Structure formats: C-alpha cells, structure tokens
Amino acid sequence: MLPVLAILGGCSSGKEGEVMQAESTGSAGGADSNPLAGQPIYVVPGGSAARQATLWRAQGRDEDAAAISALATRPTATWITDDRGVTGRVRSLTRRAAEAGETALLVAYYIPGRDCGSFSAGGARSAPAYRAWARAFASGLGDGRAAVILEPDAIPQAVEGCLPGAARAERYELLRFAVRALSARPSTSVYLDAGNAGWIRDSSRLVGPLHRAGIGAAAGFALNVSNYYRTDPTLSYGRTLSRRLGGTHFVIDTSRNGNGPAGEGIEGRDWCNPPGRAVGRYPSTDTGQRLADAYLWVKEPGTSDGTCRGGPPAGQWWPQNALELAATAARR
C-alpha cells in the first residue's frame, strides 16, 4: 500500500495541480456548497469513552482516565445497525441535538448482505424490509439537523465483486431508495460511502456505481470510514473522485488515521485492529478545503473492527484499544 500512498500524496503539475492547489487553500464554502458549514456536531453524553473514564477514575487509574476523557469530549457518530425502534432512536438523538443547537451525526448500516458475511455480517432480511427500515429512519430524522453516513462499505464491496449480479443491482437500487428517503428530510445531509484510498484504487470504477446508488440526490460521499488512511492522501483521492462526479463534496473519517494504515508489515488483516494506530484530526466542519465538508469521527475510537488480534466482536467497545489510540496520539 505504501507505493499507492506515495502516488496519491505526491505533487501534481499542470492544470490538475493548479486545481488541487486552489482547492487546498480555499476555505469551506457557505451553506450553498457545504451544508455542514458552521454547524457544531452533537456530542452524545455518556458515551463509551465517558463511562470508561468514570470507571477508571473510581479504580484510581487517573492517567488512563484523563487520556480517555480526551476522546469523550469529541463528537462521534451513532450507528443504527438493526431494526429495533429505529424511528424512536433516531428521533431521540436528533431532538437532543436540536435542543443543543447542534447537528446529529448518524450512520445508517443495515443493507441486506451487509459486510458480505464478514465480521459485521447482518442487515435487513429482504429488500422490502430494508425499504421499511429506511422509511422508519427518515421518519425519525424529522426536521432536525443531521448528517447521515449511508452504508459503509456497501458500494466498494459490490464493485470488487462480493455480490452476484442480481444482488449487486438490488443493492444499488436500495441505496438509491435510502438516499432519496433520507435526503427528503429538510435538514438532513446524506453522504454515500465510497470506501477508502487503498481499496478501489482506480476511483473511476466507483463513478457508475455511485450514480446508480443515487449520489446525485445526496450531499456527497464519505471516505475512510472505519479505516486508517491519512487525511492528506484521502483528500487527494476525494478530489479525484469528486472531479469524476462533477464536483461532488465529501467528508472524511479521521477517527483513527493519525498514524496512517498499518501497512504490509502487519501480519494478516492490516485493517482489523492493527496495533500502533492513533486518532487523527479532531472533528470539524471547517476543513479549509473547498470540497471537503467535514472531518468526522464516524467510527468511535475504541470500538473493535472484529474478532482479530484479541478484539471483541465488531462494533463492541474495547477499552485497551481506545487507550492505545489516545496515548499514541498524545505522544505524536
């Protein structure tokens, strides 16, 4: 992966380089170009990091508690991954965010055949069930301000061929349905996941699938969700994909990319709980990048990627991992 990173982060020349330089020096646009501009992201009180800090203080682990507390004060996304009380859960979050004058950050993660049967397998049992779920999710959003990251990995996995043709076509149709259902809410910005800089390396392969999945009705696309690629090469990748889509905006998950990906020196799955990682840039809707609407912590630092390297099941809180991410960042 390192040679790819070098290419993505390298210097450009000519007209393309001039465009990239203009984008990197511009400030975030107004509401007409960046729907999240000027909006603080809601910090859900009593999250995993906050509870862990309280526990460790009670145990006398004051230094560890202080490190984890630094994570607890940053906004992270709430993942909706099943069909239990979807409308009520989403409504509760968006209402609390509205009362605080802030924007709720959510992840919609329930596509049929989710994760192609890997660590995060699951999702809706059928296409009709997913459409009902998407409508329930949209109903909960109401008029409150929200940013929704839609179905991490769903498009890149389809592109790389983990689904047969009929299932792939159905996936794009369902994503298109969800984009339209969620985007119909007046204050909701939907970002359709497009993987990361090291996955579908030729981003032109994503253009057709993103169009079929409804990118035209979304606020943009999301990059690096639950992954480790550094912000600068991700920005470069995002600009290239954006140009191919006609100038579409994007957001970047910076929750764990402070030290970049583990690379080929890590035995086994380099994306699954690699050691030595660190949190990246703090969440902000003021990126200083014309096309990048926000840096977000989509994956909560300290949640497991799956049962690898001693981790609990995917999505579960792992205190030792959270502490490592925080401590490594503090040493940078």
Side-chain angles (χ1 to χ4, degrees), residues 178-203:
V179 167
R180 292 186 178 279
L182 302 179
S183 296
R185 308 314 304 175
S187 301
T188 294
S189 302
V190 178
Y191 293 89
L192 192 54
D193 186 74
N196 60 68
W199 192 347
I200 308 299
R201 299 184 181 188
D202 177 5
S203 64

Side-chain angles (χ1 to χ4, degrees), residues 197-223:
W199 192 347
I200 308 299
R201 299 184 181 188
D202 177 5
S203 64
S204 66
R205 296 175 61 202
L206 291 167
V207 174
L210 282 165
H211 279 304
R212 288 192 286 276
I215 190 68
F221 57 90
L223 292 173

Side-chain angles (χ1 to χ4, degrees), residues 39-40 76 107 123 126 154 167 183 194 216 243 256 317 331:
Q39 298 184 26
T76 59
V107 179
S126 66
S183 296
R243 283 195 294 273
R256 306 185 299 174
W317 176 249
R331 291 196 297 270

Side-chain angles (χ1 to χ4, degrees), residues 97-186:
E99 290 169 358
E102 297 175 344
T103 298
L105 176 60
L106 303 102
V107 179
Y109 192 50
Y110 196 55
I111 199 79
R114 188 178 67 197
D115 202 26
C116 291
S118 190
F119 287 124
S120 297
R125 65 187 180 277
S126 66
Y130 184 77
R131 292 189 191 97
W133 180 86
R135 285 192 293 265
F137 195 119
S139 179
L141 290 169
D143 296 337
R145 290 203 310 257
V148 179
I149 310 301
L150 182 59
E151 299 298 348
D153 298 348
I155 289 177
Q157 285 179 341
V159 169
E160 71 175 1
C162 82
L163 298 171
R168 185 164 58 249
E170 178 183 79
R171 173 166 290 190
Y172 295 146
E173 187 278 324
L174 291 176
L175 289 169
R176 190 178 191 89
F177 180 91
V179 167
R180 292 186 178 279
L182 302 179
S183 296
R185 308 314 304 175

Side-chain angles (χ1 to χ4, degrees), residues 25-49:
T25 57
S27 59
D32 58 334
S33 58
N34 177 2
L36 305 181
Q39 298 184 26
I41 305 298
Y42 180 61
V43 179
V44 180
S48 300

Side-chain angles (χ1 to χ4, degrees), residues 19-30 33-34 37 231-232 234-236 239 249-250 252 281 284-295:
V19 171
M20 292 176 64
Q21 183 178 16
E23 289 170 351
S24 66
T25 57
S27 59
S33 58
N34 177 2
T231 301
D232 286 347
T234 302
L235 281 167
S236 180
R239 293 185 191 110
H249 284 224
F250 57 92
I252 297 175
R281 299 187 190 187
S284 176
T285 59
D286 182 12
T287 67
Q289 307 290 326
R290 186 175 63 82
L291 295 171
D293 289 350
Y295 301 135

